[in-house]
Every structure is written in C-alpha cells, then in structure tokens.
Amino acid sequence: MLRNLLWATSKHDVYMMQNYSLMHWSSMLRRGKEVLNVAGAVVPTLKPRGSPAQSLSRVQVSTMSVKDNLMAAGGFQGELICKHLNRPGVTFSTKITTDENAITNAVDIYRSCNGSTRLMTANNDSQVRVFDIENFVLLNHFNFPWSVNNTSVSPDGKLLAVLGDSADCLLADAQSGRTIGALKGHLDYSFASAWHPEGRILATGNQDTTCRLWDVRNLSTSLAVIKGRMGAIRAVKFTSDGQFMAMAEPADFVHIFNTKSDYCKVQEIDLFGEIAGISFSPDTEALFVGVADRTYGSLLEFNRKGCNRYLDSFY
C-alpha cells in the first residue's frame, strides 16, 4: 500500500490520518484533535464555475499533503479532498476519475516557476493533473504510459519527477509535461521521490529495496545506490537545510543519512509496525514517524541531538 499519511508543519504540529479522521497532534501539549472526518458526507464549500466540485461519502484516504495551511488528501476511488486548515468545512472535493483502477497515489502542493501555488495529483489511470488552489480548476493534465505512483516538483518549479509502474523514472517539464529524460537503473516499480533543497539532486525510492540519487545535470547514471534492509522504499524526505535524508520501508525500518558525508553516515531506526509516513519538521529539529499497525499504532518523535543523530520520544 502506498503511504504518505503524516505531515509536520512545525516542530509541535503534526497532521496524520487515523482511519477516517484527519488528526492534529500537538507535541507541545501532547494532545490530539480531529480536524476532519471523512466517514460520512464530504460537502465542499467552494463550487466555482468551471470547477468539478462534488460531494463525496466515506472516503478511504490513500495519501495526503499539508503545506501553507492547505491539506490535500487523495482516496482509493480517485477522490480528492482539500481543506484550508484555518477555515471551517471542506474547501473542495471531487472525484478525479471514474476509472475502475482509480486510486489517487500521490498529492503534491508546490510552488510553480511563476510563483503561484499549485496542486498536483498522480493516479493509477496513468494521468497527472494540475489544479490551481484559488478556485481548484483543472489547469492541465499529462498522460503517461503506466500508472503513476508518485510525482515531485523541483524547488524552482521547473522540473517534474514522474514515477510509477515502470523500472524507468521520468524527468519532465513541469509546465508542459513533456518528457526530458529517463532515469534508468532501478529494477522494479517506483513509489517515492524527493528533491534536495538545492534542486540538483533527486532521490527515487523503488520496489527493488533501493533509493537512487540522481544529478539532473547528468541523467546517464545514478550518483549512488542506497539499499534498504528488507522492503521497498516507500517514502523519501530531505530536511529543509539539505543535511539529512530519511527513507522509509513499508514496515519496521527508517534510515537517516547525512548528505554531507556522501550518504555514507547512516542512522537506522528499527521499530515495529507498518509505517504510515515520515516527516521532518521545517526547522529540521524533529523527525516524526507514523505507525499504522492496528495493535501498535502510534506516533514516534525523534529529536535532533548534536549534528548527526535523532533521538526518540514516544506518544
């Protein structure tokens, strides 16, 4: 299962999905609060002309993203839900596609190269869609030859990484969707990607249990191949200062690399349970790990100590 159900917006504010509830956890108060419940009817407050807004019901959330006070969540039946965290109700909701295999695999809130904020979705129907976040109108959609499991836009808003049910990862123009090059080296399907804040290095996570690092100035071969312990690499994140990169397997293992050591220095976190997501706080001082196991479900917080390690506390 694709998992990206945890986002930290500060050292003390974490958003995560629990069953049908979007929860806000305050690590300062050590208290949780429900922000949104999608078990019943989801009715959008915004229905502008030209927007495909519609009511939804009992949405099983497959992925989410939180940035700039906006939460976007995708569903297993191709749903998209958007909520401004500082406003009541659901801002926008729709069913992106009616394709039988319609799961929304990834949502990404990003800044385009012209400075405007956009929302991008990746779906099993082989399409990537771009929405504006003022009226949630569909601005563009790009077709690919296979189901798209993940997308990520470079920090300057110009390049788009597209990963899915192919051994090759694609690099495309973020404005037009035109493919610029293929990243070859992985042996199986890919599920995760992340850009180093400087915008030159792209990390891709794959079912072949590796994360590969690519320099966009030379796409002919990967810079490095980082191996996991047992499973596919399902999540990859960089700290905002670029000093650390974390990658998570589907269960039990999270790996943290010091990028300034050429990814040679690593800390391994060995836990128990399915991993629902990982997220660094924007100030890089904390790493949060969500555990989705029904029996051992929890949120782990690892606080940065010194320059090379994160030490944990448990909620």
Side-chain angles (χ1 to χ4, degrees):
M1 183 181 294
L2 304 177
R3 293 192 180 276
N4 208 350
L5 302 176
L6 175 74
W7 285 82
T9 57
S10 80
K11 185 179 178 180
H12 305 297
D13 298 284
V14 184
Y15 293 88
M16 56 186 177
M17 290 301 305
Q18 290 183 342
N19 298 318
Y20 290 95
S21 293
L22 171 68
M23 301 294 296
H24 169 259
W25 174 262
S26 170
S27 61
M28 181 182 292
L29 301 175
R30 301 205 171 195
R31 192 164 62 222
K33 178 179 71 174
E34 185 179 74
V35 176
L36 177 66
N37 190 299
V38 293
V42 176
V43 181
T45 59
L46 181 67
K47 294 183 178 180
R49 182 176 298 178
S51 172
Q54 64 185 103
S55 299
L56 303 172
S57 180
R58 199 166 178 81
V59 178
Q60 186 179 2
V61 173
S62 54
T63 186
M64 63 178 279
S65 177
V66 181
K67 194 176 295 182
D68 297 335
N69 251 334
L70 177 68
M71 183 279 300
F76 279 87
Q77 301 301 318
E79 302 97 336
L80 173 64
I81 299 172
C82 299
K83 174 182 172 56
H84 285 95
L85 298 174
N86 55 353
R87 303 179 197 170
V90 171
T91 308
F92 175 76
S93 61
T94 192
K95 199 161 186 181
I96 294 175
T97 174
T98 56
D99 192 283
E100 288 185 5
N101 190 15
I103 181 173
T104 304
N105 290 319
V107 289
D108 185 24
I109 302 166
Y110 68 98
R111 195 63 58 91
S112 69
C113 59
N114 64 10
S116 56
T117 303
R118 299 281 185 253
L119 171 66
M120 182 174 288
T121 65
N123 283 74
N124 254 24
D125 66 354
S126 306
Q127 290 202 44
V128 170
R129 296 170 174 85
V130 180
F131 295 83
D132 98 285
I133 65 160
E134 293 299 319
N135 298 308
F136 294 96
V137 173
L138 181 65
L139 298 176
N140 216 335
H141 62 92
F142 312 134
N143 291 298
F144 293 93
W146 24 258
S147 295
V148 182
N149 295 328
N150 176 268
T151 60
S152 59
V153 178
S154 61
D156 63 5
K158 294 181 179 180
L159 296 175
L160 169 64
V162 184
L163 301 80
D165 289 1
S166 169
D168 294 346
C169 305
L170 300 181
L171 205 61
D173 181 280
Q175 293 288 95
S176 66
R178 179 181 60 86
T179 298
I180 297 171
L183 310 178
K184 297 180 179 292
H186 280 302
L187 304 177
D188 209 328
Y189 297 169
S190 293
F191 294 102
S193 65
W195 292 86
H196 188 281
E198 292 179 354
R200 184 171 58 86
I201 302 298
L202 172 68
T204 56
N206 193 273
Q207 185 83 7
D208 64 11
T209 75
T210 71
C211 173
R212 284 180 178 259
L213 301 170
W214 312 85
D215 188 326
V216 296
R217 298 172 301 180
N218 180 11
L219 303 180
S220 60
T221 185
S222 54
L223 285 176
V225 181
I226 302 171
K227 190 122 176 31
R229 172 76 69 160
M230 293 174 60
I233 306 304
R234 291 296 181 104
V236 184
K237 304 282 185 180
F238 284 97
T239 53
S240 59
D241 63 3
Q243 185 174 347
F244 296 97
M245 185 194 81
M247 67 183 199
E249 301 183 33
D252 300 346
F253 294 103
V254 176
H255 312 268
I256 307 169
F257 297 87
N258 188 326
T259 64
K260 296 188 182 304
S261 70
D262 290 332
Y263 302 84
C264 293
K265 291 183 179 179
V266 60
Q267 176 185 355
E268 182 178 271
I269 299 171
D270 186 353
L271 51 96
F272 184 82
E274 292 184 59
I275 296 171
I278 57 174
S279 183
F280 286 107
S281 61
D283 64 2
T284 78
E285 290 299 315
L287 169 67
F288 295 92
V289 179
V291 180
D293 190 275
R294 289 190 175 186
T295 304
Y296 301 100
S298 56
L299 173 65
L300 303 178
E301 178 183 356
F302 296 83
N303 293 303
R304 184 170 171 179
K305 301 294 182 184
C307 61
N308 290 321
R309 296 186 70 80
Y310 285 82
L311 304 178
D312 69 300
S313 55
F314 175 80
Y315 298 112

